[in-house]
Amino acid sequence: MDSALDFLLHGVVDPADYVKESNSFLEKMKHKSAFELVKSIKEFTSYFVEGSYSPDEQSNLVHQFMKSLMDRIIMHRLWLPEGKEAIEQGTEALERYLLHKLYGVTFHHPSTDDMATDERFYYQLRRLQFIQPLHLDIPDRPLNDAAFELAAQELCFLDHQQCKSPREKLMCMLNAIKIVSNLLRHYGDEESTGADDLFPYLIYTILKASPRQFHSNIRFVYRFRSRTKLIDEPAYYLMQVETAVAFIENISCKDLSISEEDFQCGSRECEEKIRTGQDVIANFSAGGKKFLEREDSLLTGTITPSDSVTESSIVLHGEASHISSVSHPVNTSTPSANSLSDGPQFLHYHLSSHSTSHSDSPTPKISTSRSSPDREFVVEKFLNSEFEQLTVAELRHLLHCYQSLAHNYVTLKHRTNHDKC
């Protein structure tokens, strides 16, 4: 990037730092004396996927296991000489490792309507692509385009194959906000980065990036980010992101500097492009942080809800032990809070006493896919298209729809079989 634009990245976190922290933590876990810690992690991941937990229950299990294991790590001889900063890094590394491993059974939970909400919001973003900075009363400045492109790239990294921990996802959102805040500071004073000044820039950044799974990423952060970390600045800016999403969902010409006629005309043109497959959303995810392509070997293997139980080659304790890349078939039984006492010792929790959460209702339900103009067009287009006629983006969307359908089918099938028994 042009060195003249370096100021835009002031305060922006490089996710490579998180990988280094994680690798340092996992290297310690290879020591023979860490055998029992590794065993506990392996047992937890196995036990976690054997139960059909609601998002709230999953969240509570992860948070409680994290606290339980970190209490042991703090007193372990490998970490006793370490200072507070090293323990803090260990906590972050453990969260990253667990959520990378459990991503396939925690993200897009089948009992929620997260995928359907993602589709509706993504469609809304696509039909609002006619909106320009001037419609949001953003002054025309030479560095606007560079700042918005950098900020949009950060949001696009939310769906990157290695951005699977709540801290990394939150970092993407905060980085985007810091970039546009730096732009505001460059052209004004310190007071020009308040919520009112920042809000239109955040809205336009989200519109420009058009992330495919924005709702699910926000929910994921709320469910699994350490509750002691969702305070102060991170909590404030995450709330700003949610407010921007709500604004975009309900936007009208009255919220913009645009006539009703131009607003309706712009919407119709975008909808027509969507219907004919001509709309193009800029892809910013390929630039920048290429280190993420070099997936650190200690984090390979993500649990998915469709595979059988297997073991990976992730060795964390030499010949003595290794953490499994456990995958599992969908389990038809949902353990109650009391039944957890049948599991490993560290899982003797009482979920009913930890019900406060930003996530969804703890009662599992089958997600109902709501019809949308986008989905109706997709069905019609795919039924009448040859493989060679489809773009990469359309194939990716087709896979996304199939996965949603498969999740619902498997859940319904197993619940039907369970009811018969």
Side-chain angles (χ1 to χ4, degrees), residues 37-285:
L37 298 176
V38 172
K39 181 182 177 183
S40 293
I41 297 175
K42 179 180 176 181
E43 288 177 348
F44 174 76
T45 56
S46 298
Y47 190 79
F48 188 94
V49 301
E50 288 171 1
S52 182
Y53 300 109
S54 72
D56 279 339
E57 290 171 331
Q58 287 185 338
S59 173
N60 287 327
L61 281 172
V62 169
H63 290 311
Q64 292 170 50
F65 174 70
M66 285 274 300
K67 183 179 185 307
S68 172
L69 194 70
M70 285 310 301
D71 286 345
R72 294 166 59 190
I73 286 176
I74 290 172
M75 302 305 297
H76 194 279
R77 68 181 183 89
L78 288 176
W79 281 271
L80 269 178
E82 305 286 355
K84 183 178 179 180
E85 183 179 352
I87 297 299
E88 189 75 14
Q89 290 178 355
T91 303
E92 298 288 11
L94 177 61
E95 180 188 270
R96 182 177 188 269
Y97 183 80
L98 285 177
L99 272 304
H100 271 251
K101 296 292 291 179
L102 300 173
Y103 193 74
V105 292
T106 53
F107 194 79
H108 278 162
H109 194 283
S111 74
T112 70
D113 65 347
D114 287 350
M115 292 181 74
T117 304
D118 285 337
E119 288 182 16
R120 290 194 301 274
F121 185 64
Y122 182 61
Y123 181 82
Q124 176 74 341
L125 292 172
R126 293 166 71 188
R127 67 181 289 272
L128 295 175
Q129 288 301 299
F130 68 92
I131 294 177
Q132 297 299 313
L134 62 91
H135 298 139
L136 292 161
D137 297 324
I138 296 175
D140 184 16
R141 291 163 172 165
L143 298 179
N144 279 7
D145 289 345
F148 284 128
E149 183 167 338
L150 286 171
Q153 179 180 308
E154 294 292 336
L155 292 186
C156 285
F157 258 85
L158 285 167
D159 296 327
H160 193 280
Q161 63 178 353
Q162 273 302 294
C163 187
K164 294 179 179 178
S165 77
R167 185 191 187 193
E168 289 164 327
K169 291 182 182 295
L170 181 59
M171 173 270 298
C172 291
M173 300 181 208
L174 297 185
N175 278 352
I177 291 174
K178 287 176 181 177
I179 289 170
V180 293
S181 293
N182 290 335
L183 177 69
L184 281 169
R185 287 195 184 94
H186 181 72
Y187 286 111
D189 53 30
E190 291 296 320
E191 296 179 357
S192 67
T193 56
D196 291 341
D197 300 292
L198 184 63
F199 195 61
Y201 288 79
L202 178 57
I203 291 169
Y204 188 71
T205 298
I206 296 173
L207 287 169
K208 189 174 181 67
S210 292
R212 288 294 296 264
Q213 303 174 114
F214 206 40
H215 167 82
S216 293
N217 280 302
I218 294 172
R219 290 296 98 201
F220 186 79
V221 171
Y222 272 126
R223 288 169 189 154
F224 298 106
R225 182 60 176 146
S226 171
R227 289 154 188 168
T228 61
K229 301 297 182 183
L230 278 180
I231 57 174
D232 301 330
E233 183 184 76
Y236 172 75
Y237 283 131
L238 190 56
M239 182 180 67
Q240 289 295 310
V241 170
E242 285 193 292
T243 305
V245 168
F247 180 90
I248 293 171
E249 288 176 331
N250 301 288
I251 200 169
S252 70
C253 63
K254 297 178 181 179
D255 303 310
L256 304 168
S257 295
I258 189 174
S259 68
E260 183 173 358
E261 181 181 356
D262 288 344
F263 183 89
Q264 296 298 334
C265 180
S267 297
R268 284 195 299 270
E269 288 180 359
C270 288
E271 288 169 355
E272 178 62 19
K273 288 180 179 180
I274 293 171
R275 193 187 69 78
T276 58
Q278 296 178 7
D279 70 315
V280 177
I281 301 295
N283 181 7
F284 301 99
S285 60

Side-chain angles (χ1 to χ4, degrees), residues 397-414:
H397 185 66
L398 180 60
L399 174 62
H400 179 77
C401 293
Y402 171 76
Q403 289 172 332
S404 177
L405 177 64
H407 276 307
N408 289 341
Y409 168 74
V410 171
T411 303
L412 180 62
K413 177 182 176 182
H414 282 280

